Amino acid sequence: MSQKVLLTSKEVNIILHRLACQLIEKHLDFSNTVLIGLQPRGIYLAKRIKALLEQEYQINKVPLGFLDITFFRDDFRRGEKQLEANKTQIDFLVEDQKVIFIDDVLYTGRSINAALTAIQSFGRPSEIELLVLIDRRFSRHLPIQPDYRGRQVDAIEDEKVKVCWNEKDGEDAVYLI
């Protein structure tokens, strides 16, 4: 199985800084804004964005939560593959807050659709935005587009985009497999 490097560690770092700056332009001090990392792999990106905002750009106490969408997916209990749930950790209200969903790859849009349903259990946000590291733009099944994207990738259906995080995989990189 061959793989092509889409992003190196240095490129990932540059993109993370750009995404953090774009968020600051729109949300300034984050007084009405919360970050929600989508389980399982969006949490690594969400943690990195929060760390950049707080450490590099001195924005204090950016609320960060993690949302599990397993039971809200439209393919739940439809296939042979057993889905494994993760833990939702949201210890703040989302009522009247600007929510930024964060995920590593936007592919069909079905995960975001599930997240839109799942977040309603925690209140009614005033606004929801989407930040992704990789946007597979030609693979959408639903009319969902990111507000913030790291890189747009044109991949055919049988190709897979693999995002590696240092915390989990021992390196920061993105591959097309």
Side-chain angles (χ1 to χ4, degrees), residues 4 18 22 26 36-37 40 73 84 87 89 93 102-103 105-106 119 121 144 147 152 160 167 176:
K4 175 184 174 186
R18 178 174 46 82
Q22 288 174 341
K26 174 104 188 251
I36 304 284
R73 293 176 55 95
E84 191 172 314
K87 187 175 182 183
Q89 298 174 333
L93 295 175
I102 299 177
D103 207 0
V105 178
L106 175 58
I119 199 67
S121 302
I144 293 174
D147 298 283
Q152 209 166 45
K160 182 179 179 186
E167 301 90 300
L176 183 64

Side-chain angles (χ1 to χ4, degrees), residues 159-171:
E159 292 178 315
K160 182 179 179 186
V161 174
K162 181 181 179 189
V163 177
C164 298
W165 296 107
N166 196 35
E167 301 90 300
K168 173 141 178 72
D169 309 301
E171 70 171 333

Side-chain angles (χ1 to χ4, degrees), residues 2 11 21-22 24 27 29 33 41 58 61 69 77 84 95 99 105 112 120 131 134 140-141 153 157 159-160 164 177:
S2 67
E11 292 168 319
C21 288
Q22 288 174 341
I24 292 167
H27 298 278
D29 64 356
T33 304
R41 302 208 41 105
Q58 285 71 50
K61 300 178 185 168
I69 58 166
R77 292 192 179 169
E84 191 172 314
E95 189 74 28
V99 170
V105 178
I112 305 308
Q120 298 303 312
L131 180 149
I134 302 294
R140 215 74 81 238
H141 294 179
V153 174
E157 286 297 320
E159 292 178 315
K160 182 179 179 186
C164 298
I177 300 172

Side-chain angles (χ1 to χ4, degrees), residues 23-168:
L23 289 174
I24 292 167
E25 286 176 20
K26 174 104 188 251
H27 298 278
L28 300 175
D29 64 356
F30 287 74
S31 57
N32 301 18
T33 304
V34 300
L35 306 178
I36 304 284
L38 300 185
Q39 292 276 20
R41 302 208 41 105
I43 66 170
Y44 303 106
L45 177 56
K47 287 177 181 178
R48 291 279 191 90
I49 294 291
K50 175 184 168 70
L52 280 174
L53 292 170
E54 292 180 346
Q55 295 165 13
E56 299 285 325
Y57 301 103
Q58 285 71 50
I59 297 173
N60 296 324
K61 300 178 185 168
V62 177
L64 172 63
F66 306 121
L67 181 63
D68 179 56
I69 58 166
T70 303
F71 302 113
F72 296 91
R73 293 176 55 95
D74 62 3
D75 60 354
F76 179 66
R77 292 192 179 169
R78 289 187 138 203
E80 300 291 319
K81 182 181 170 191
Q82 179 114 1
L83 296 175
E84 191 172 314
N86 295 283
K87 187 175 182 183
T88 291
Q89 298 174 333
I90 299 177
D91 59 356
F92 47 81
L93 295 175
V94 300
E95 189 74 28
D96 293 325
Q97 296 290 307
K98 294 176 184 170
V99 170
I100 302 170
F101 285 149
I102 299 177
D103 207 0
D104 60 347
V105 178
L106 175 58
Y107 184 28
T108 63
R110 294 186 182 280
S111 293
I112 305 308
N113 189 47
L116 290 167
T117 303
I119 199 67
Q120 298 303 312
S121 302
F122 297 92
R124 184 176 182 202
S126 63
E127 183 179 319
I128 297 176
E129 296 179 329
L130 175 60
L131 180 149
V132 297
L133 182 65
I134 302 294
D135 175 12
R136 289 186 62 161
R137 68 178 172 164
F138 294 137
S139 306
R140 215 74 81 238
H141 294 179
L142 299 170
I144 293 174
Q145 300 300 322
D147 298 283
Y148 313 94
R149 77 171 53 87
R151 174 75 49 90
Q152 209 166 45
V153 174
D154 300 333
I156 57 177
E157 286 297 320
D158 63 342
E159 292 178 315
K160 182 179 179 186
V161 174
K162 181 181 179 189
V163 177
C164 298
W165 296 107
N166 196 35
E167 301 90 300
K168 173 141 178 72

